[in-house]
Every structure is written in C-alpha cells, then in structure tokens.
Amino acid sequence: MISRYGTYQFMKAQPGMHEGSPVARYYRADDPEWHWLENRESADVSDFLTAANQQHADWFAPLSPLADTLYHSHLARRELAVKSLETALDHFTFWSETGAEDDYPCWWRYPNGQPEQKSCFFDVRERAAEQPFYDMGDMALSPDEQWLAWTEDTQGDERFTLWLKALPNGTPRQLLSDIGPSVCWAEDQTADGATLLFTRFDDTQRPDSLWRLWVAFAEHAPMQTPTLVLREADPEFWVGVGKTRSKAWLIIESGSKDTTEVLALPADQPETPLVCLHAREPGVEVSIDHRPGVFYRLHNQTGPHFQLDMRAESDNASWQPLIAHRDDATLEGVDAFEWGLILAERSHQDAQVLLRRLELDSHHQTLLDSYIELPETPCSQLLEDSPHFNARTLHLREESFTRPPSWYALDLDSGVRTLLKQVPVHGSLAPEQLVSRRIWATSHDGEQVPVSVVMRADLAGQPLPTLLYGYGAYGEALDPWFSIARLELLERGVAFAVAHVRGGGERGEPWYLAGKMAHKENSFHDFLAAREALVAAHISQPEGIVAYGASAGGLLVGTCINRAPEAFCAAVLDVPFLDVLRTMQNPELPLTTAEYTEWGNPEAPDVAERIAGYSPIDNIRSQRYPALWIEGSWFDTRVSYWEPAKFYARVSQAQQEAAPILLHTDMSSGHGGASGRFKAWRDTARQDAFILWALGLGNR
C-alpha cells in the first residue's frame, strides 16, 4: 500500500523526473514562470509538449497492460450497439443507432406509423471518417421535417461550420463557417425556403451576435447574405437563441453569469422587430417560456431562490406572481405545455431536485399541484425532450450512483409509468451489488457539506481506497450519475466519492453564491473537509485517497494539493483551470470577460490579491507533492494548453518527493477531450490505471 507521503512501487523503473527531464532541458532562467509556453507558434513549445508526452509514455509503459485490461473489461460490461428511443414528430419518427464498432451514430426515420419504410438520413460516421477530431454541435430539422441543418467542429476549437441537406439523401451543402454551435429554424417555411438563426463569435470567441439567414431550397439558388439581428456590445454578455415548445416564439437571451436580458421574435415572422420581454437589470437572471396567450418568467428579482411570474402575451401587460420565492428551495427551470407547467425545484436541505407538475385551466387557476415520485434519494430525475406541446405523456430519465440510466413514459391521466429503456450492464459486478450513501462534512465555518459515496455493498463498513471527485463552480450541480467505466474501480475495491462543495449548485442558489467571487475560499475548505469526513466515517483509508478535478474542478483540486499535499496520495487534473490570475488579467483570451462575475475582475487590486491567494500556479512551493496526472488539449479554447503545461513544469521544479509529475497534451482535441467514444474510453482507462497504481492496486 502507498504511504501517506508516497513510496511508489514503480518509481525505480521510471526515468528521472529532474535531471534530463523536459523541465530540466527546456528551463529558461530569464523566464522562471514559463510564460514562453504561451507562444503557440514557437517550435520550442511543441517540442516541449512532445517531450513531456514521451516522458509520460515512458513512465506509463509498465501500466499499459493494466490500462488495456481496464479498457477491454469496460467494453465487455457495455452494450456497444446502441439504439436511442424513437421520437415521433409531426410527420416522421426519428432515432439514432450506433454500431458495436462505431464511434458515431447513424440517424434514421420513417413516416409515422410506417416503420417498414425506415431509412438512414444522416450518417455521422461518414462525416467523421476523414477527421482526426469531429464534434457535432447541433442538428435542427426544418418545420416540415424534410431539411436538416447541422453544425460541426473538425478541430476542437469550438468554431463550427453550418451545413444543410435535403432528407433523406440530398447532397450536403456548406452554408457558413466560423459560427457558434447552435442553429434554430424559424417557423416561416415555404416551398422555396425558410429562415435559420445562428450566432457568431467575436475575437475572444464570445457569441456576441445573432444572425438570420434565408435558406433557399433550390439546388443552385444563390447564397443569401446573413442579416444581423442583434449584436451585444458588453464583453461579459453572450447571445443565444431557442424556440418555445409552443413554436410561437423565438427566444433570444443576452446574458452574463448573473444577468439576463430576454428578447423575442414571432417564430413565423423572424424579420419583425425584437420584442423585449425582460430588460437587463444587474444581478437579475431570467428565463422565459410560453403558452398561448401567456408568458412565464422565472427570475431572482425578488429573492435569490427565484420565483415564477406570468403575464398576458399582449403588449404592455404586467407580470403577476404565480409561484412565490421560498427560503427552502430554488426554482431551477420551467417547461410549458398546453395543459400547464413542469417546474424543477431543488431542495436546499436534501440537495435533491424534484419535478413539480402544475396543471392549469384556461383562467390559470390551479387544477393540480403535485410532485412526480422519485424512485430513490438521492437520484437524478430529468424531463426529457417532449416535442409535442399538447403531450400528456412525459418522458423521464432517471439514474443514481447505483441505478443505470432508465427512461420512462409517465401517463399524466392514468399515472402509469412504463419503462421504455434501461442501459444494460454486463459483467461480474451488477448495479444491485453496489451501495450508495450520503454523509455530511463539517467545513471550517460549521457549514454541512454533502458528500456522496458509492462502493461495493460487500465492502461497506471498512475503510477503502477512494477516488474523491470535485467541481464547485458556476452553480453546476453534480447530481448522482451512473458510470459503467467506474465499475472497473469499484470492482477492485475502490470507493468513489463526490464532494458537493459550495460554488456548485447541489443545495440551490445559496450554495452557489457561497462559493464564488469573495466566497471562493469556501470551496477549498469544503473539499478538504469532505476528505476528512470520509476518513472519520471509516469509509476511506487516510493514506489512500486520490483527488480528481476537471476544468474548474482542476482549480479546486490544484489549490487543495498546494495547501494540503499530504491529504492525497495522487491527483488527476484534467484540462485544469490553474493559471487563474494571469488568465483573468487577459481580456483578449476566450471567456475571460464572461468570467468576471464568477471570479472577479483583477483590475481591482483587492480582487487581484484575492485570486492570487488561491490561484494554483501562483501558490506552488517546494514541498512533497502527491503523484500528479495532468491532462491538457492543444486546441482547448476554454483552458489554454499552456495552463497545465506551466503547472507541470513549475511543480516538477518544486517537487520534494519521488512521486511523479506527469503531463499529457492531446494534440488533436479541445476542452472536451477525444471526440470518438472508443478513444475517450481508452483515455479513461489510462487515467484509471494511474489511479489504481497510486492506490497500490496496480497489479489487479
């Protein structure tokens, strides 16, 4: 077993981490902070990353057989041939199928009620076949379901190209390049064409403008020039567009991290002037939905936990409260149907989302107000897309740490739930052999922090080697999710734990607000408190805990290993946000200005001082760091490749232990990592092999 300070069983066979390493060879005395790595065009940069990748490969070579075993065992547990649920729209029924050996799906359809006439209308495998990276941004069917528009990214930099084809077998036609991922049809289709709406980026890759494009269907029709609908001048605001389920309105949001302005266009008249449904007010977040004659507004204008208002669709109508603000729950979403509303409410006490069904009559009087039953707690219950506005059958997706994803049809009239599909799980460890529990950690200020744990039921009650996962930013909630890949760790006796730290959204809006800006320190205290609570509850072995953080979770874990390196035997930092102060000081980088309301604008000296106090790369010091597995991506526009690279270099210099500091940079992908599922699973297997090695289980 690995000791608290790290005696690593494979280290004697590995190349040295100091003399002769890439860090030693490429160190520049005139740039001790390694800022030269930010010059993407420099040959030295690519040479350094290549050398680090080779060092990583050399060190990992003894673990390659374990990674192969994990990968193939994962495949054996999974149903590789996958078919999605069929969805009947107005004219056709649609679904996707992914072959057992394929990375990408084919999309199929048949005329409603005529399954014998099925045909494949879009083969994503063909689109991706010649590309080292491929990501489908969005797919949108025209109102008559005879034309498909889609966006794709073939580099990983999240700049997309817009394509169009007639269904089922038309020749793809490129319309535009260098746009955002989302595309939306208006409801103005004629025999000649229809309007598409899309966003474009500014120089910092902020979606700053909304455009409309009349798409002529004739094969050789001249390409129209897109028309600017809206340009957002404020660098902290992003523009997005969508359509209500009623198909009556196009909803345009211009929003920052904490402020939203909502405009609208009649979906069948996209060339008319914009209608303002909610003007921006600093700190007020809003979302809008629609039923015939009525708009609904979810907002935090009167309190941080949101309330729901309604107003008549006519001009100059005033908003009236429908669901009041509450202290014990946050309203997270509203979905409008012909018969009423589905609300997503998050309990602050239980850190659990509930779906609330509100049926309304024509005068908006409540006919029914009830919660949809949960199969267990904690779990995730989501309303799946229901394309029909008058549908009285809801599609629900449910899963937990021990329950694989299951889809149900809920008949609102009879109350009958019908299982439509459940992800099959093969192999020797079945979901019913797992147990999940939630404990509460006491943080530095007395706050109770939820910590979720899943493990083999037969091992419960004894301290186990543990993988501790954290995120804690942007109000994102880590609700329970099932992972087939995770079974490889669980079967080998590892417990998987999630620290639901402040800055996330697990306990509603107050939980988020208490872990951002000036309160960010709470996130770090909470994560370390979660670690201590796992040990105190005899769930985790104190000498056998690996920390895992991706993106903003990398900031969380990076800060914690600076402050308490002895708390973990290893850490995985996946596309980690580590150079926080320098990134936030550079408004020319993608996303920086939009992040001011999350971290603060360091132009203010007190904000710069605060960020510098926790920014991982600014707090490296000579000490015994745990083993580190650091992943970056060359085309990442969210966390630039140089952040993990600089952190690797500087921690390698500061390391006072034999534990390895490893960097791998994927030179063909972006922030989301590999685009094909098999490559992504191999990447996961390699990370898991490292985790098992760090926990002293590398020979299993």
Side-chain angles (χ1 to χ4, degrees):
M1 181 62 63
I2 190 169
S3 78
R4 189 174 182 84
Y5 293 106
T7 54
Y8 295 90
Q9 59 191 28
F10 291 115
M11 280 306 297
K12 292 182 179 179
Q14 308 306 322
M17 299 301 293
H18 299 288
E19 184 178 353
S21 74
V23 174
R25 297 203 306 273
Y26 286 88
Y27 174 72
R28 298 180 181 180
D30 61 344
D31 188 3
E33 295 182 330
W34 296 79
H35 293 325
W36 65 269
L37 286 172
E38 298 175 12
N39 182 6
R40 183 186 292 270
E41 306 304 320
S42 169
D44 282 350
V45 171
S46 57
D47 289 347
F48 173 78
L49 297 178
T50 299
N53 281 353
Q54 186 60 54
Q55 178 195 47
H56 179 282
D58 292 342
W59 184 92
F60 188 74
L63 290 179
S64 291
L66 174 59
D68 287 340
T69 297
L70 293 169
Y71 172 71
H72 290 292
S73 296
H74 171 201
L75 297 188
R77 296 182 192 275
R78 181 180 291 276
E79 196 80 27
L80 294 176
V82 179
K83 179 182 178 181
S84 72
L85 291 177
E86 295 185 0
T87 300
L89 302 184
D90 293 335
H91 308 289
F92 290 85
T93 296
F94 294 85
W95 74 98
S96 67
E97 294 183 11
T98 305
E101 298 181 358
D102 296 331
D103 275 317
Y104 302 95
C106 290
W107 283 87
W108 294 76
R109 71 172 191 173
Y110 59 76
N112 287 342
Q114 303 176 57
E116 70 281 359
Q117 295 187 29
K118 72 174 186 177
S119 62
C120 177
F121 66 88
F122 188 57
D123 191 337
V124 186
R125 299 170 305 177
E126 291 183 356
R127 302 295 304 175
E130 303 301 323
Q131 306 294 342
F133 179 93
Y134 185 87
D135 182 35
M136 176 73 68
D138 198 6
M139 295 173 60
L141 289 163
S142 62
D144 70 353
E145 302 169 23
Q146 295 287 8
W147 293 85
L148 179 71
W150 74 94
T151 57
E152 58 188 29
D153 169 18
T154 57
Q155 184 160 282
D157 60 358
E158 300 185 55
R159 292 185 177 272
F160 291 81
T161 301
L162 175 62
W163 293 82
L164 178 77
K165 68 172 287 187
L167 300 185
N169 298 315
T171 301
R173 190 168 83 199
Q174 181 175 329
L175 299 181
L176 298 166
S177 60
D178 200 14
I179 69 168
S182 300
V183 61
C184 180
W185 291 95
E187 292 288 322
D188 63 343
Q189 183 172 350
T190 69
D192 297 324
T195 298
L196 276 172
L197 291 101
F198 62 92
T199 58
R200 276 181 165 156
F201 298 123
D202 66 5
D203 291 340
T204 65
Q205 206 162 349
R206 172 180 67 100
D208 73 324
S209 55
L210 175 69
W211 300 76
R212 71 170 184 265
L213 174 69
W214 175 259
V215 178
F217 294 151
E219 183 175 357
H220 299 295
M223 179 69 183
Q224 300 291 313
T225 300
T227 300
L228 178 66
V229 176
L230 172 71
R231 187 180 298 279
E232 175 55 67
D234 192 322
E236 294 188 31
F237 281 70
W238 290 20
V239 174
V241 62
K243 187 162 51 180
T244 61
R245 185 180 282 107
S246 66
K247 299 183 180 179
W249 291 89
L250 297 163
I251 301 296
I252 298 100
E253 289 189 0
S254 186
S256 69
K257 295 293 185 181
D258 66 356
T259 302
T260 318
E261 181 172 58
V262 182
L263 307 167
L265 288 169
D268 60 352
Q269 302 175 58
E271 296 184 9
T272 59
L274 290 163
V275 177
C276 182
L277 296 179
H278 180 88
R280 71 186 63 183
E281 300 176 48
V284 176
E285 298 176 77
V286 172
S287 62
I288 300 285
D289 211 334
H290 171 262
R291 292 171 68 222
V294 184
F295 285 114
Y296 296 93
R297 178 182 68 167
L298 196 65
H299 67 91
N300 62 348
Q301 192 173 35
T302 56
H305 311 157
F306 291 79
Q307 77 173 41
L308 183 66
D309 293 347
M310 55 175 284
R311 55 156 273 196
E313 195 171 354
S314 58
D315 294 340
N316 303 317
S318 60
W319 292 101
Q320 303 296 324
L322 182 62
I323 303 292
H325 177 274
R326 291 162 50 193
D327 291 332
D328 62 345
T330 294
L331 291 177
E332 291 191 337
V334 57
D335 281 276
F337 292 85
E338 185 178 63
W339 45 262
L341 308 170
I342 294 290
L343 300 170
E345 294 186 358
R346 182 175 294 274
S347 165
H348 299 166
Q349 178 64 33
D350 299 328
Q352 174 67 57
V353 172
L354 302 171
L355 295 183
R356 181 176 176 184
R357 170 186 168 194
L358 200 66
E359 297 223 13
L360 305 169
D361 65 16
S362 58
H363 302 289
H364 298 282
Q365 298 300 307
T366 301
L367 299 174
L368 177 69
D369 187 352
S370 65
Y371 291 94
I372 296 175
E373 184 179 356
L374 292 171
E376 62 179 282
T377 57
C379 77
S380 296
Q381 185 185 68
L382 303 174
L383 180 66
E384 288 283 87
D385 185 40
S386 299
H388 295 294
F389 186 58
N390 62 351
R392 290 196 60 80
T393 298
L394 300 180
H395 285 178
L396 304 175
R397 184 181 191 272
E398 298 174 349
E399 67 180 305
S400 72
F401 289 116
T402 61
R403 177 191 294 260
S406 303
W407 288 262
Y408 292 88
L410 173 62
D411 188 308
L412 296 181
D413 296 317
S414 68
V416 173
R417 287 165 53 102
T418 303
L419 178 63
L420 301 175
K421 178 185 177 183
Q422 184 176 65
V423 171
V425 179
H426 305 291
S428 56
L429 184 62
E432 54 268 23
Q433 294 174 288
L434 304 176
V435 63
S436 175
R437 58 182 293 198
R438 175 171 284 173
I439 65 171
W440 296 83
T442 302
S443 196
H444 69 295
D445 56 357
E447 183 61 82
Q448 296 297 292
V449 180
V451 184
S452 298
V453 191
V454 60
M455 67 197 85
R456 278 171 41 188
D458 63 321
L459 297 179
Q462 58 182 295
L464 300 175
T466 300
L467 177 62
L468 178 59
Y469 187 100
Y471 187 73
Y474 307 113
E476 293 293 327
L478 296 179
D479 288 324
W481 76 100
F482 189 86
S483 167
I484 292 179
R486 186 191 302 147
L487 296 175
E488 295 303 315
L489 298 179
L490 298 179
E491 184 161 50
R492 288 165 173 80
V494 178
F496 177 79
V498 180
H500 303 288
V501 305
R502 281 172 283 186
E506 289 86 349
R507 299 188 70 185
E509 191 70 7
W511 203 244
Y512 170 45
L513 298 176
K516 65 179 291 192
M517 299 288 281
H519 305 293
K520 188 60 191 170
E521 286 290 333
N522 287 333
S523 301
F524 314 128
H525 288 292
D526 291 355
F527 191 75
L528 292 173
R531 186 262 183 211
E532 296 305 311
L534 289 166
V535 173
H538 304 291
I539 292 172
S540 300
Q541 297 171 350
E543 74 281 3
I545 302 177
V546 175
Y548 189 107
S551 195
L555 160 60
L556 174 72
V557 172
T559 299
C560 289
I561 61 173
N562 275 335
R563 296 181 179 183
E566 74 286 352
F568 306 101
C569 62
V572 176
L573 303 172
D574 198 352
V575 289
F577 183 30
L578 298 167
D579 200 359
V580 186
L581 180 59
R582 186 171 173 87
T583 293
M584 295 308 298
Q585 288 174 329
N586 187 353
E588 295 183 2
L589 287 175
L591 309 184
T592 290
T593 53
E595 302 281 272
Y596 286 157
T597 51
E598 182 72 24
W599 317 106
N601 186 342
E603 288 186 4
D606 61 322
V607 174
E609 182 179 4
R610 183 179 76 231
I611 295 174
Y614 65 75
S615 176
I617 210 166
D618 295 299
N619 289 277
I620 296 167
R621 62 183 186 273
S622 295
Q623 60 182 347
R624 293 175 167 180
Y625 278 93
L628 298 184
W629 177 286
I630 307 168
E631 295 269 4
S633 290
W634 180 247
F635 291 108
D636 194 338
T637 58
R638 297 174 184 262
V639 176
S640 300
Y641 70 87
W642 59 75
E643 294 202 30
K646 289 197 294 183
F647 189 79
Y648 151 77
R650 294 178 62 181
V651 172
S652 295
Q653 292 175 297
Q655 174 67 300
Q656 298 299 303
E657 176 60 78
I661 311 298
L662 303 168
L663 171 70
H664 176 261
T665 305
D666 190 326
M667 303 302 289
S668 63
S669 66
H671 193 64
S675 55
R677 61 176 183 161
F678 288 99
K679 185 175 186 297
W681 292 337
R682 278 206 176 274
D683 290 347
T684 297
R686 282 190 284 268
Q687 287 187 357
D688 286 351
F690 170 79
I691 291 165
L692 289 169
W693 165 81
L695 293 171
L697 304 174
N699 58 348
R700 297 191 184 183

